[in-house]
Structures are given as structure tokens and as C-alpha cells.
Amino acid sequence: MPVLLAAIALVLAPIVLVPLSLVLRYRAGTARRQARGWVAALNLAAVALSTLLFVTGAALANIWVAHALGDALLGLLGGFALGIVGLWLSRWERAPRSLHYTPNRWLVLAVTLIVTARILFGLWRGWYLWRHAPGETSWVSAFGVAGSLAAGAVVLGYYLSYWMGIRRRLRWHARAAVTYRQSIGSPPAPSLRPDD
């Protein structure tokens, strides 16, 4: 009996933890943060690598799933544009030695809801087609893999352009601070590099 309960808990744990992880992701995504060069560079490199692997996977999936690569590229483009809008809507707070930003709550909520809606729709569609469709329908098309790739690409494109924008803002902020100090005649601060 304990083994059966453990097996049931193992199966149900991801179902229970997905909504919790989405709420926690939203809270973390809307928090005020200090823009740091090394964090932006690390996140940009990680998202760029993820995007490269994602597009490669979508190209391979295109062999079996119609429109997988095209939908993924369109989602990536849409997410990139959404990230630029996110940079414009973010609240930026400049100080002489730091730059803080707070992402727009509504935009972070929209990106989170895109992922949530795609997960729920894929599960519903897979369940519906499994129960009602003829046997020749594949599970890959039943779950709507091309649409899921597009939703995932929106998230990747959003964060790719957002982190690129943060890096760029940090550089502008560092240059403006150096120019300001030079104009008032004070010596430059030792730790005002954009990679700090």
C-alpha cells in the first residue's frame, strides 16, 4: 500500500506543482531588480543557447510535424517584439552607481498565461482526440506540437530581446554616468563598469 501511495504521489506531484511554479515564476518575474552586467550576460548567453537548441529541435521536429519550424520561428519573432515592448514598459530607476528595473506586471502575466493556456489546451486536445479520434491520428499531432513550439518560442524570444535590452541599457547608463562625472570634474568611480 505505501508503494502505491508513493507512485500516485509521484504522478500527481507535477500536476500540483505546475500551477505553483507558474505563480512563483510570475512573482519572480515582476520583482524589482538591480541590473548587473554579469547577470545580464549570463542570462543572455543561456537564453541564446536555449534558442539555438530550440530552433534545431523544431527543425528536426519539422520532419514529422507539419509547420513545426515555421510556427516556432513566428513565435520567436513575436516573442522578440514582445520583449522590446517589455523593455519600453519596464520601470527604470537610475542612480549614480546603479540601475534598477521592474518588469511590467501585465506583460509578465501575459507571457505566463500564454504558457499556461498552451499547456492546458495541449492536454485537453490530446485527451479529446485520444477518446474521439480514429486510431490513425498520431499523438504528436494530437497534442498540437507545432502550437506548443510557437508558445515556447514566444517565451524564448521575449527573454532573448529583454536581456539584450538590459545589457544595452547598462552600457548607456555606465557611459552617461562617466560623462556626468567628467562634466562636474570628479574622478571616475572604480566600479562603474557595465560588467559589474
Side-chain angles (χ1 to χ4, degrees):
M1 186 68 166
V3 173
L4 179 63
L5 289 176
I8 291 172
L10 254 150
V11 169
L12 293 179
I15 296 170
V16 172
L17 292 178
V18 165
L20 177 65
S21 71
L22 289 171
V23 169
L24 292 176
R25 180 69 207 134
Y26 171 75
R27 288 189 65 195
T30 58
R32 179 182 181 264
R33 292 178 224 144
Q34 182 177 355
R36 299 183 190 274
W38 69 270
V39 173
L42 185 64
N43 282 331
L44 182 59
V47 173
L49 179 63
S50 296
T51 303
L52 178 67
L53 293 173
F54 180 83
V55 170
T56 304
L60 288 172
N62 201 50
I63 297 170
W64 298 283
V65 179
H67 310 294
L69 182 61
D71 287 357
L73 291 176
L74 284 175
L76 199 59
L77 186 63
F80 200 84
L82 199 60
I84 293 170
V85 171
L87 285 166
W88 287 336
L89 295 177
S90 292
R91 187 173 61 231
W92 298 91
E93 301 169 30
R94 291 177 182 86
R97 293 185 176 269
S98 65
L99 177 67
H100 288 81
Y101 65 97
T102 306
N104 183 278
R105 290 183 182 278
W106 293 106
L107 203 53
V108 172
L109 180 64
V111 171
T112 305
L113 289 177
I114 286 171
V115 173
T116 305
R118 190 57 214 156
I119 290 170
L120 293 175
F121 179 73
L123 290 173
W124 173 82
R125 184 174 175 176
W127 176 258
Y128 179 79
L129 290 177
W130 178 62
R131 293 179 45 95
H132 295 73
E136 60 269 356
T137 303
S138 75
W139 276 96
V140 173
S141 24
F143 276 108
V145 170
S148 294
L149 287 173
V154 167
V155 175
L156 283 173
Y158 173 80
Y159 283 111
L160 185 66
S161 65
Y162 199 81
W163 285 111
M164 287 171 63
I166 288 176
R167 286 278 295 169
R168 192 170 193 185
R169 288 250 183 174
L170 274 169
R171 288 186 185 131
W172 286 346
H173 180 69
R175 271 188 249 135
V178 168
T179 304
Y180 174 74
R181 272 195 306 284
Q182 289 172 349
S183 71
I184 61 171
S186 64
S191 66
L192 194 57
R193 294 187 344 236
D195 291 326
D196 286 347

